[in-house]
Amino acid sequence: MMTKIKKPFFVFNPKSYLYGEELLKLAQKADEMAAKYPEITVMVTVPFADISNIANQTENLIVTAQHIDGITPGRGIGHVLPESVYYAGARAVFLNHAERPLTLTELTKSMQRAQELGIETIVCADSLAEARAIANLKPTAILCEPTELIGTGQTSDESYITATNQVIKEVDENILVMQAAGISTPEDVYRTMKLGADGTGCTSGITNADSPIQMLEEMIVALNQAYQERG
Amino acid sequence: MMTKIKKPFFVFNPKSYLYGEELLKLAQKADEMAAKYPEITVMVTVPFADISNIANQTENLIVTAQHIDGITPGRGIGHVLPESVYYAGARAVFLNHAERPLTLTELTKSMQRAQELGIETIVCADSLAEARAIANLKPTAILCEPTELIGTGQTSDESYITATNQVIKEVDENILVMQAAGISTPEDVYRTMKLGADGTGCTSGITNADSPIQMLEEMIVALNQAYQERG
Amino acid sequence: MMTKIKKPFFVFNPKSYLYGEELLKLAQKADEMAAKYPEITVMVTVPFADISNIANQTENLIVTAQHIDGITPGRGIGHVLPESVYYAGARAVFLNHAERPLTLTELTKSMQRAQELGIETIVCADSLAEARAIANLKPTAILCEPTELIGTGQTSDESYITATNQVIKEVDENILVMQAAGISTPEDVYRTMKLGADGTGCTSGITNADSPIQMLEEMIVALNQAYQERG
Amino acid sequence: MMTKIKKPFFVFNPKSYLYGEELLKLAQKADEMAAKYPEITVMVTVPFADISNIANQTENLIVTAQHIDGITPGRGIGHVLPESVYYAGARAVFLNHAERPLTLTELTKSMQRAQELGIETIVCADSLAEARAIANLKPTAILCEPTELIGTGQTSDESYITATNQVIKEVDENILVMQAAGISTPEDVYRTMKLGADGTGCTSGITNADSPIQMLEEMIVALNQAYQERG
């Protein structure tokens, strides 16, 4: 079981598209790729109830929860208990995705619980202002999807990535920057990594591909190539 | 694996107090009790990431999720995918608990997804008005904790249980009525069942007992006795 | 100040499109129409901070709040205090709109507070199942926008309106039924009322019209005509 | 109408305890005090539907909204439109109070709307980590109630205030720091201001006082004295 996110990293993020056998098959392919390219951290996000199944049948991935709540064992029926998720095998977690936004207090508590248990955090930011605020909370990584840049003239990938990288690294150069807006082909992965992202990832570009397994492989190959070329 | 809630039923509801090994031990005790008293439906609510572990190691329980979201496979990172929960082995779900309240639209959609997958629903009601509204949505069971009755003169257990039973059965006599407010001893279980509940359950009365295993057993014995005596 | 919703009724619902002077001008036009057609109840929904201004300068409308919270005077900074809204002049309120959904407990409490103060309630329902549940909570009116009927073959206005009318009136024939999905012309108003709605309303069909004042007038005229013809 | 928060400042924050006539009477007393001590900024938070009434009948206060949503005129029924609140006379707003927490994205958008309209922002922080993150979003003021310091040995008022002041001023020395945890007497106001707060405030210490008007006056006098003594 892998536990530490290092750059470069790739996140296969099937959200709620996959579960059970189909998810397992792709996670095992990702696991195989992670063994083949040991310098790349490979993460797979999985639904809560699939975590133990995936963690038990893979070795080289960081199995990643899609959310945790900032609670300690006690009350809280229906919430996502960090200890349960960790026990099942997750070692990283996404927080504050636009599909599951958190209040600032919830985010702060969730991050604190993750840190106490040794769960790495990838926190999502909607804007440059949010990215700066989140960087001050010391996550492992920030996923940048600053919608404000769209349509402002700063739409080129390069300025977009440069702006978010700069804001985050200025606060703490150890925070990893994930750029994943609109990644749907291996070429997107290659270009994004060449522009300076520490990691990237993909959802429907893989799940909707003719061969999801082949697409997953090609993206990891592209990421590796771009990162090697960056030197 | 059991799949159908019948009366009388007992819910061990450790909420987020337990996970992992400790939860498994108590679930296995509950499983043993369920085998010993086959006429009683025994349910255990478990954190999402513990579902498959508990379901794989028990036979006679209905493993019960603490919540599901009303989503179909697709987007929705961080939400609780019904298919994932079902695949892991849950066959019932609590919805709309005061600790995890749902909008009416979310509740309706979650109940619809549960029905499509064959997951039984226990929906929580805070008041008589809510219990009536929920009964019209056709859940398997309603957990009644009508705070409005407290301090109104209708505080005796009997009038409380009678009022909620009547409201619910008037809408649909097949909906099971769970009464579990303040259950902390086997005597509470006995008295509540004698007063006409279809089922009951307990959280901290078990998890905080000197011997949770013994308390769990005594409560199920008390439930059985009361139900036998009701004839 | 009008206080009681009677059929037929028309709701000008500018949501958050209008405020201040522009809202006042249209509300005054609606007020004039309400005076001209005294058998029609005319309602205008207004932002919270505009309520007193509109209520002070109109006479024949029911000034309608866009939401209230189910709280009593006390804590609750940032919530919408029913007493404040009533004091400012609102005598009706929309609840549970898809843009401001409520948990079942919140909805029940808000409706109770409205009833205590003499504020009429228009509660929104997303589906037939919701409409039935809400009818059991005894609102003054239900706004039906059952998305489930769209694209199911039951898309004709008539079956749509018939189904919701039937479900609601079956529970309580005194509950008023508002049908307002997709109303954008006076013809839409006419047809909807002819099909048996107790009331209807419009948002962007008025606010985006070349002449909002003229559109508002034409819709109220169309409503009156349809209702007269129904006899 | 006052529009700019300067130090020292005092916030009378009756939350949802008051509305209508009773609120107006106290707001007018606060207005009188503000005229008497022109070097002090006096703010009164009021329910949304009371804003215009209070703003129309006072001159020297900053009438303060209890929340705004980060929306522009358009859809959004039931939300708090910034333009409506501004039109009614509010020139400041509380955001992210523990009783009305916001997602980070909502907070960022609300602050942006406030800035566009010229509404000053007082943003609430639950912890040092939150205070730092919020300071990076550039509010006018931060209300600190860091629960984490309670019971940690750092419980003395002085270390508490020093820690939060330092964290915030380090990010931007122009952000005002409001300390208001547990203020219930004029002595509390005096001590808090002497310890270096830029402003303070009170809720139930005033609303539950034998004479709210007298308590309000004594607190403002105490604030003035402490600030004069600080030099």
Side-chain angles (χ1 to χ4, degrees), chain A residues 21 50 52 76 79 84 87 99, chain B residues 21 50 52 76 79 84 87 99:
Chain A
E21 291 304 319
D50 282 278
S52 65
H79 293 265
S84 166
Y87 177 82
E99 293 166 16
Chain B
E21 290 304 320
D50 282 279
S52 65
H79 292 265
S84 166
Y87 177 81
E99 294 166 15

Side-chain angles (χ1 to χ4, degrees), chain D residues 121-192:
Chain D
T121 52
I122 302 99
V123 181
C124 305
D126 248 16
S127 64
L128 284 175
E130 274 193 54
R132 188 183 294 108
I134 290 167
N136 277 276
L137 298 171
K138 309 292 179 200
T140 312
I142 295 179
L143 168 52
C144 297
E145 308 190 316
T147 50
E148 73 196 351
L149 289 184
I150 296 167
T152 61
Q154 287 188 283
T155 50
S156 76
D157 282 286
E158 196 165 352
S159 65
Y160 169 98
I161 289 176
T162 304
T164 46
N165 264 6
Q166 188 180 333
V167 157
I168 293 166
K169 301 288 187 182
E170 208 175 88
V171 177
D172 182 343
E173 60 181 1
N174 294 315
I175 297 172
L176 300 171
V177 180
M178 176 174 174
Q179 305 281 357
I183 301 288
S184 58
T185 65
E187 292 69 38
D188 292 336
V189 169
Y190 179 85
R191 193 177 57 250
T192 298

Side-chain angles (χ1 to χ4, degrees), chain C residues 72-91:
Chain C
T72 46
R75 288 187 173 204
I77 185 168
H79 293 264
V80 181
L81 179 65
E83 274 81 356
S84 165
V85 156
Y86 182 90
Y87 177 82
R91 291 297 178 268

Side-chain angles (χ1 to χ4, degrees), chain C residues 39-86:
Chain C
E39 66 278 26
I40 300 175
T41 299
V42 179
M43 307 168 71
V44 177
T45 70
V46 303
F48 308 116
D50 283 279
I51 292 173
S52 66
N53 190 38
I54 302 299
N56 289 339
Q57 304 193 51
T58 58
E59 282 180 27
N60 308 292
L61 302 175
I62 300 184
V63 176
T64 303
Q66 296 185 356
H67 167 74
I68 56 170
D69 283 298
I71 58 170
T72 46
R75 288 187 173 204
I77 185 168
H79 293 264
V80 181
L81 179 65
E83 274 81 356
S84 165
V85 156
Y86 182 90

Side-chain angles (χ1 to χ4, degrees), chain C residues 96-171:
Chain C
N96 199 45
H97 193 281
E99 293 166 16
R100 186 72 170 84
L102 297 177
T103 69
L104 184 51
T105 301
E106 288 171 335
L107 176 58
T108 306
K109 287 187 182 161
S110 296
M111 291 178 72
Q112 188 184 329
R113 292 305 339 275
Q115 192 178 32
E116 288 166 10
L117 291 170
I119 296 174
E120 308 256 72
T121 53
I122 302 98
V123 182
C124 304
D126 248 17
S127 63
L128 283 175
E130 273 193 55
R132 188 184 292 109
I134 289 168
N136 277 276
L137 298 172
K138 309 292 181 199
T140 311
I142 296 179
L143 168 53
C144 298
E145 309 191 315
T147 49
E148 74 196 352
L149 290 185
I150 297 165
T152 62
Q154 289 188 281
T155 50
S156 76
D157 283 284
E158 196 165 352
S159 64
Y160 169 98
I161 289 175
T162 303
T164 47
N165 264 7
Q166 188 180 332
V167 157
I168 293 166
K169 302 288 188 182
E170 208 176 271
V171 177

Side-chain angles (χ1 to χ4, degrees), chain B residues 108-162:
Chain B
T108 305
K109 286 186 182 161
S110 297
M111 292 178 70
Q112 188 183 328
R113 294 302 340 274
Q115 191 178 32
E116 288 167 9
L117 292 169
I119 296 174
E120 307 256 72
T121 53
I122 301 99
V123 181
C124 304
D126 247 15
S127 63
L128 284 174
E130 274 194 54
R132 187 184 294 109
I134 290 168
N136 277 276
L137 298 172
K138 310 290 180 201
T140 312
I142 295 178
L143 168 52
C144 297
E145 309 190 315
T147 50
E148 74 196 352
L149 289 184
I150 297 167
T152 61
Q154 288 189 282
T155 50
S156 76
D157 283 284
E158 195 164 353
S159 64
Y160 169 98
I161 289 175
T162 303

